[in-house]
Structures are given as structure tokens and as C-alpha cells.
């Protein structure tokens, strides 16, 4: 086993308290804490070796023969804590073929992998699963064209009337594509004044008893953070999502989304590829984003857990790269076996637990994580607390 520390990111939308309280740091702002082996920010190890080096030194011992054969000499997932005090960018993650092609093209162009204008920092896709630790607000995927038209109707602005008419005339993925493109493309996007008109209409509708109060509140909220940004209006096209603690949401590659507020655990394919169209101060590449969007309307994909045993819930995402389990240890003196084999990252979210694997025993207080290699075999946990585990299915 290999005790690891998180790699910390302080993006502008991050929290001043949430992750700090878990990992025991006093940073003024933390947006994400990474527990993984992504080459951009591998987790430092207690012995001085970053996790990507640990994997590279012994791929078959750390990953196992099956995982190494499927994914090569890389840990296929990345585990994170994410804490949003403000909205994240309006974004999409690429599919695997697009990520490989985009990465190769940017490598050939000589764009630094950590450069501000880089789209593809690695050749991997980035489907992800979000497990809420607090109430977690998000937008994910397109509403049906008919419902989006209903939300837009009655606002009485030229822009909202135009968008609603387009969706009513073409109530299909084509209509959604046309409206989304109209809003975010540089040569078609509405002016800040047109955006402000929609925002004011939503505010007035909200005050008078809106038929779509949540959509209107989101517009007003986003406008306060990103005044004049067309992404504010785009929120009216997207499904609202609220996760209660313990609920999980899956974001497939190609799914347009934005997280608005809350603390969560994320597990995803090991990638940092994000294509943005708005609601951000980071690099925006609308044309590349549009090439990767899935325009088919669909409800958010909520993942229901399956019981491994009485103490453990497993969230199986519809991908080969990762799964997430949550184990509660009640302090009754018994030990529980954690699910799975292969390479695992175990993070203590609460309390203090004792993890045993491969003849070793480590104590994990809140915020501490350990990498369990395939060669370590089965793992058990005792003590009192809650742990999350990322693993390969």
C-alpha cells in the first residue's frame, strides 16, 4: 500500500472551507483535491514518490495483468473531492476517439500540455460520476425541445421568442443543436444587452409567480456571476439536477453540463479534457465543443447503488474505467471487506479507520487516502468512519 496526499487546485469557483475541513489544510480556497496518477498532477506519496511513478515502476504489480492489458501502464481513473461555491463552466467532455485525435493534433502543433489554450491535455475521454456529500446543484443534458420551448415562452424578449419558435418548428435534436449553436457561437451569440433582457424577464417572471421558478432562479444566479454571458440563457435549455447526500449522477462523454454549488466526490476516467463554451474565465473553444456535443434530449442519469454487503454501497457507472463504493464502518469491532481487487484508491471521508491489505495495516484519519495495489490482494477496513473507494470494474 502507498499513502498518498491530494494534489490541490484553487479554481475561482472553489470553496474557502469544505475541502479544507476534510483534508486538514488552511488554503484560502480549494476547488478540487485530486487523488490519482494523472501526469498533470499526480498525488504525492508519503515516501516521496508520486503515484504515477509508483505505477510506472511496477505496472503489473500495481494495476494487475488485466487492467494493464486493457489500459496500458496507467491508472485508468481519477478520484476527486470537488467543492463549488460558484458555477463551473458550461462544458462537455470528449469521447475517446475525439480525445485521441485532438491530443495528437495539439501535440503536433507544439502547444504545451499545461498551456492556457490547450483543449486536450491527454488522449483520454472523461466520463464522470458525482457522489454528493452535501446538497449538490447542477445542470446536465438537454431538456426535451418541447419543454425548453415552454420555459422560454412568455418571457417576451426578441431572443427568447426566437429560440422558442425554433424549438417549436423543429422539436428534435436538430432544433436543440440550432438553438444551442445560436447561443454560444462567436458569430451568432446574443449581445450582452440581449442576454440582460432575458435575465430581467426571468427576474420579473419569478417575482410574479413563475411557472418555471427553478429555471428563472438559475438564470438570475448565473447572471450575477457572469453578466452578459450567453451561457446564462443557455441554462434554460438544460435539465436541473439536485442531489441529496448519498445520491450519484453520471455524466457521459458528450453531455453538456455545469455544476452550480455543493461538495461531492467525483470519480472519472483519468483525464483533464474539458471543452468550454461559457460561464468561465478559462479557455473557450466553442467550435471544438460543438463538435463533441450530444444534442439528444435525455433525463439526467442517476446511478442507484447496489449493496455489496450491509455496510457497502457500490455505484456502477456504464463505463469500463471506474466504479465507486462507499463503506460505513460503525465501530462495532468488526472488519468489513472492501469490494473488488485490482488498483484501488481508498479515501477516508469521516472518522478514523484501519485498512489492512497485503499483510500491511494503515490508519486513515479523515482526509487521508491510500493506494492499494493489485498485488496487495483483498482489503478490509475496521474502526469507525466512512470511506470511499475508486476501483476498476
Amino acid at each position: 500500500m502507498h499513502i498518498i496526499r491530494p494534489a490541490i487546485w484553487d479554481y475561482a469557483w472553489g470553496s474557502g472551507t469544505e475541502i479544507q475541513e476534510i483534508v486538514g489544510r488552511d488554503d484560502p480556497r480549494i476547488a478540487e483535491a485530486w487523488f490519482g496518477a494523472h501526469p498533470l498532477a499526480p498525488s504525492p506519496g508519503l515516501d516521496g514518490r508520486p503515484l504515477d511513478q509508483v505505477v510506472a515502476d511496477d505496472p503489473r504489480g500495481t494495476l494487475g495483468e488485466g487492467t494493464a492489458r486493457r489500459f496500458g501502464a496507467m491508472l485508468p481513473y481519477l478520484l476527486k473531492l470537488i467543492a463549488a461555491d460558484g458555477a463551473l463552466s458550461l462544458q462537455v467532455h470528449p469521447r475517446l476517439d475525439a480525445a485521441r485525435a485532438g491530443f495528437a493534433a495539439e501535440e503536433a502543433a507544439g502547444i504545451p500540455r499545461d498551456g492556457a489554450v490547450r483543449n486536450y491535455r491527454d488522449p483520454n475521454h472523461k466520463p464522470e460520476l458525482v457522489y454528493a456529500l452535501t446538497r449538490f446543484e447542477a445542470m446536465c443534458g438537454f431538456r426535451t425541445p418541447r419543454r425548453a420551448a415552454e420555459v422560454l415562452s412568455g418571457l417576451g424578449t426578441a431572443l427568447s421568442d426566437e429560440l422558442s419558435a425554433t424549438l417549436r418548428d423543429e422539436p428534435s435534436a436538430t432544433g436543440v443543436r440550432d438553438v444551442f449553436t445560436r447561443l454560444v457561437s462567436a458569430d451568432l451569440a446574443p449581445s450582452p444587452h440581449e442576454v440582460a433582457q432575458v435575465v430581467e424577464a426571468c427576474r420579473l417572471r419569478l417575482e410574479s409567480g413563475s411557472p418555471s421558478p427553478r429555471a428563472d432562479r438559475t438564470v438570475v444566479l448565473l447572471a450575477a456571476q457572469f453578466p452578459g454571458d450567453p451561457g446564462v440563457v443557455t441554462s434554460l435549455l438544460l435539465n436541473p439536477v439536485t442531489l441529496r447526500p448519498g445520491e450519484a449522477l453520471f455524466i457521459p462523454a458528450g453531455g453538456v453540463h455545469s455544476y452550480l454549488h455543493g461538495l461531492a466526490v467525483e470519480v472519472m476516467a483519468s483525464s483533464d479534457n474539458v471543452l468550454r463554451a461559457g460561464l468561465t474565465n478559462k479557455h473557450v473553444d466553442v467550435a471544438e465543443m460543438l463538435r463533441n456535443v450530444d444534442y439528444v434530449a435525455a433525463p439526467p442519469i442517476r446511478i442507484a447503488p447496489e449493496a455489496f454487503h450491509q455496510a457497502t454501497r457500490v455505484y456502477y457507472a456504464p463505463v469500463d474505467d471506474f466504479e465507486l463504493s462507499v463503506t460505513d464502518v460503525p465501530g462495532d469491532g468488526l472488519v468489513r471487506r472492501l469490494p473488488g481487487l485490482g488498483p484501488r484508491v481508498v479515501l477516508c471521508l469521516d472518522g478514523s479507520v484501519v485498512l489492512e491489505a497485503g499483510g500491511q495495516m494503515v490508519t486513515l484519519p479523515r482526509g487521508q487516502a491510500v493506494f492499494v495495489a493489485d498485488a496487495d490482494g483483498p482489503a478490509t477496513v475496521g474502526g469507525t468512519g466512512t470511506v470511499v473507494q475508486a476501483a476498476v470494474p
Side-chain angles (χ1 to χ4, degrees):
M1 292 189 289
H2 188 74
I3 295 176
I4 56 175
R5 308 296 191 197
I8 299 297
W9 297 88
D10 66 346
Y11 304 132
W13 45 262
S15 168
T17 59
E18 297 283 13
I19 294 177
Q20 291 87 331
E21 292 177 359
I22 295 175
V23 301
R25 294 179 57 131
D26 59 1
D27 303 55
R29 183 180 64 205
I30 299 178
E32 295 180 353
W34 291 16
F35 300 88
H38 191 281
L40 185 64
S43 294
L46 195 62
D47 66 355
R49 290 186 300 161
L51 188 53
D52 61 339
Q53 186 62 55
V54 172
V55 173
D57 287 345
D58 183 13
R60 292 196 177 275
T62 55
L63 302 177
E65 184 174 348
T67 299
R69 183 171 59 250
R70 290 159 59 196
F71 297 100
M74 61 168 282
L75 187 65
Y77 59 79
L78 175 61
L79 182 69
K80 295 182 183 180
L81 291 170
I82 177 172
D85 266 1
L88 279 67
S89 58
L90 184 66
Q91 61 185 261
V92 71
H93 302 311
R95 297 173 181 81
L96 187 57
D97 56 348
R100 289 172 173 170
F103 179 79
E106 292 184 343
E107 289 286 280
I111 303 173
R113 292 186 187 179
D114 59 354
V117 298
R118 183 94 185 203
N119 286 322
Y120 297 96
R121 300 179 186 275
D122 52 70
N124 204 11
H125 64 168
K126 194 188 173 190
E128 61 190 32
L129 183 144
V130 181
Y131 171 82
L133 299 178
T134 65
R135 181 184 174 96
F136 194 84
E137 303 285 351
M139 305 181 296
C140 177
F142 290 110
R143 302 176 189 265
T144 64
R146 182 172 300 172
R147 176 58 184 149
E150 289 175 352
V151 173
L152 286 159
S153 66
L155 290 174
T157 73
L159 178 60
S160 58
D161 287 349
E162 174 197 333
L163 301 177
S164 181
T166 299
L167 291 169
R168 292 187 186 280
D169 291 343
E170 186 59 68
S172 67
T174 299
V176 173
R177 181 200 63 198
D178 292 346
V179 167
F180 186 70
T181 303
R182 164 74 168 92
L183 286 170
V184 301
S185 294
D187 56 341
L188 298 173
S191 68
H193 175 67
E194 290 174 298
V195 172
Q197 287 180 319
V198 174
V199 173
E200 180 63 10
C202 288
R203 185 186 66 80
L204 292 173
R205 185 168 69 175
L206 192 58
E207 292 175 353
S208 62
S210 172
S212 305
R214 188 171 183 182
D216 291 342
R217 279 196 300 268
T218 298
V219 166
V220 173
L221 171 72
L222 292 176
Q225 298 176 44
F226 302 98
D229 191 313
V232 172
V233 181
T234 304
S235 70
L236 296 169
L237 305 178
L238 303 179
N239 294 304
V241 180
T242 297
L243 300 179
R244 293 174 296 181
E247 294 183 332
L249 174 71
F250 177 70
I251 309 291
V256 177
H257 64 285
S258 172
Y259 300 146
L260 302 178
H261 191 270
L263 173 67
V265 172
E266 277 190 300
V267 61
M268 61 199 65
S270 185
S271 175
D272 193 43
N273 290 328
V274 181
L275 305 172
R276 305 176 185 88
L279 305 180
T280 184
N281 295 319
K282 296 181 181 180
H283 175 58
V284 170
D285 188 336
V286 173
E288 189 64 22
M289 183 206 193
L290 292 175
R291 281 191 283 270
N292 284 271
V293 171
D294 183 353
Y295 294 101
V296 176
I301 305 172
R302 294 174 179 266
I303 304 295
E306 297 184 21
F308 174 68
H309 50 59
Q310 192 173 18
T312 298
R313 307 174 302 282
V314 185
Y315 296 81
Y316 294 105
V319 292
D320 295 331
D321 309 72
F322 59 82
E323 66 186 31
L324 183 75
S325 63
V326 183
T327 299
D328 296 314
V329 188
D332 56 6
L334 301 177
V335 297
R336 273 80 177 172
R337 179 175 171 179
L338 297 179
L341 296 170
R344 290 145 286 168
V345 172
V346 181
L347 168 65
C348 181
L349 290 178
D350 192 33
S352 179
V353 302
V354 178
L355 187 75
E356 185 171 3
Q360 297 178 279
M361 186 178 295
V362 297
T363 298
L364 298 180
R366 188 185 192 202
Q368 181 65 70
V370 64
F371 173 72
V372 184
D374 176 76
D376 291 325
T380 61
V381 62
T384 305
T386 299
V387 300
V388 291
Q389 174 184 270
V392 182

